[in-house]
Amino acid sequence: MLTRDELREHLIRTRIAGDVATSRENNLDHYRSVANRDPYFLFGLTGLENWSYRDVLAQMAKSAGVVADPGHREGQDTIDPERTIDALDLMAERIAAVLTRPSPRVLFATGHPTGLLAIHLPLAAAVAARGATLLTPAEGWTYWGAGFGRKRKIRYLGDVAMLDDRGGFVHTHDSTPMEAMLAELGDERPDLVIADHGWAGAAGQAGIPTVGFADSNDPALFLGEAEGKIDVVVPLDDNVLPRYYAPLTDRLVTRVSHAL
């Protein structure tokens, strides 16, 4: 496992944190969308308070380390690597706490398979090796979602839920699949959800302990964390080369093991 300083350098070098690829314009546009309560950007967190645009920006500066100055409207934006590592370590503590329970039930899902699946797969394997039951509800469940002209369905790879479109895993903000999964589980709710995007938002909205990952242009989960609906959110760029996440994942898995 890399030292904290080595991991910080890796995060900055690969742009998982530090000067990230997501532009300031894109960040601010998404913050306005959340302030306007656009469902696409709320990630299923329909119970969020009415955050103003300035409030969203201030919270994102606090949670993710984006530039706090509202006058900075274009160009480079940032994620603070120290916040990334701190949140990663806190996530490890929360996961380990669940794994100390008898017969823990954990649910994994990702809306960003081209990037974050590289974290979810080894983490899911490590959690299962520690005795957790990985839940796979609603496999094959299909629906017509907003913004696409054909049915999509829930499919699992390595016990991680994703949205499938004719054999390809696709990016989604949609909370509807997680809502369907939780409906099928009924009273047999998971002890923990480890997810991102709408999969995490829907679980948090349902009152299920949830930890997850989010980019600087996806503020909803950070607002949910601030309101106590999401336990931990790790700020990172969610679409760098998958292999770049390996040192981050190694720290997460190692710290979970050491906490048990």
Side-chain angles (χ1 to χ4, degrees):
M1 182 177 75
L2 298 181
T3 66
R4 185 182 180 101
D5 287 346
E6 289 169 341
L7 180 58
R8 182 194 309 110
E9 292 173 3
H10 173 80
L11 296 175
I12 293 169
R13 184 175 62 255
T14 58
R15 302 184 74 182
I16 293 173
D19 290 342
V20 292
T22 308
S23 70
R24 180 66 168 187
E25 296 92 326
N26 186 260
N27 280 344
L28 298 184
D29 180 63
H30 287 202
Y31 301 170
R32 292 187 188 94
S33 295
V34 166
N36 291 330
R37 302 193 67 78
D38 183 333
Y40 181 77
F41 295 96
L42 290 178
F43 290 2
L45 285 162
T46 55
L48 286 177
E49 298 173 7
N50 290 322
W51 293 72
S52 70
Y53 163 72
R54 289 293 184 99
D55 289 341
V56 175
L57 174 57
Q59 186 61 50
M60 289 303 296
K62 179 180 179 180
S63 296
V66 304
V67 177
D69 180 8
H72 177 54
R73 298 189 177 92
E74 59 185 22
Q76 185 65 56
D77 214 340
T78 62
I79 292 175
D80 181 359
E82 297 293 345
R83 287 176 171 84
T84 302
I85 298 170
D86 286 345
L88 194 73
D89 291 349
L90 184 56
M91 177 185 283
E93 292 177 12
R94 298 295 173 86
I95 294 171
V98 169
L99 293 180
T100 62
R101 302 175 188 174
S103 304
R105 295 157 51 85
V106 182
L107 180 56
F108 281 84
T110 182
H112 217 309
T114 57
L116 297 181
L117 182 60
I119 303 175
H120 285 288
L121 283 174
L123 182 57
V127 167
R130 289 290 179 171
T133 297
L134 302 188
L135 304 178
T136 57
E139 185 167 23
W141 177 86
T142 62
Y143 78 120
W144 293 89
F148 48 91
R150 54 181 177 262
K151 283 187 176 181
R152 289 178 172 176
K153 64 183 176 182
I154 295 171
R155 179 174 287 183
Y156 288 84
L157 175 66
D159 295 324
V160 179
M162 287 168 284
L163 202 58
D164 170 90
D165 187 339
R166 294 186 177 179
F169 293 123
V170 295
H171 172 258
T172 182
H173 286 192
D174 201 349
S175 62
T176 306
M178 177 60 78
E179 291 161 0
M181 290 156 64
L182 296 179
E184 181 174 294
L185 289 171
D187 293 336
E188 300 297 322
R189 292 154 63 95
D191 297 299
L192 181 69
V193 168
I194 303 173
D196 51 74
H197 295 78
W199 305 89
Q205 182 64 36
I208 296 169
T210 301
V211 297
F213 308 91
D215 208 327
S216 59
N217 64 351
D218 291 332
L221 296 187
F222 294 103
L223 304 185
E225 181 184 32
E227 292 187 12
K229 295 180 173 66
I230 306 290
D231 290 10
V232 182
V233 182
V234 177
L236 46 65
D237 188 308
D238 61 12
N239 197 31
V240 302
L241 290 176
R243 61 185 172 87
Y244 288 164
Y245 295 112
L248 179 153
T249 306
D250 181 55
R251 183 181 181 91
L252 181 57
V253 170
T254 300
R255 290 184 71 91
V256 168
S257 297
H258 287 173
L260 292 172

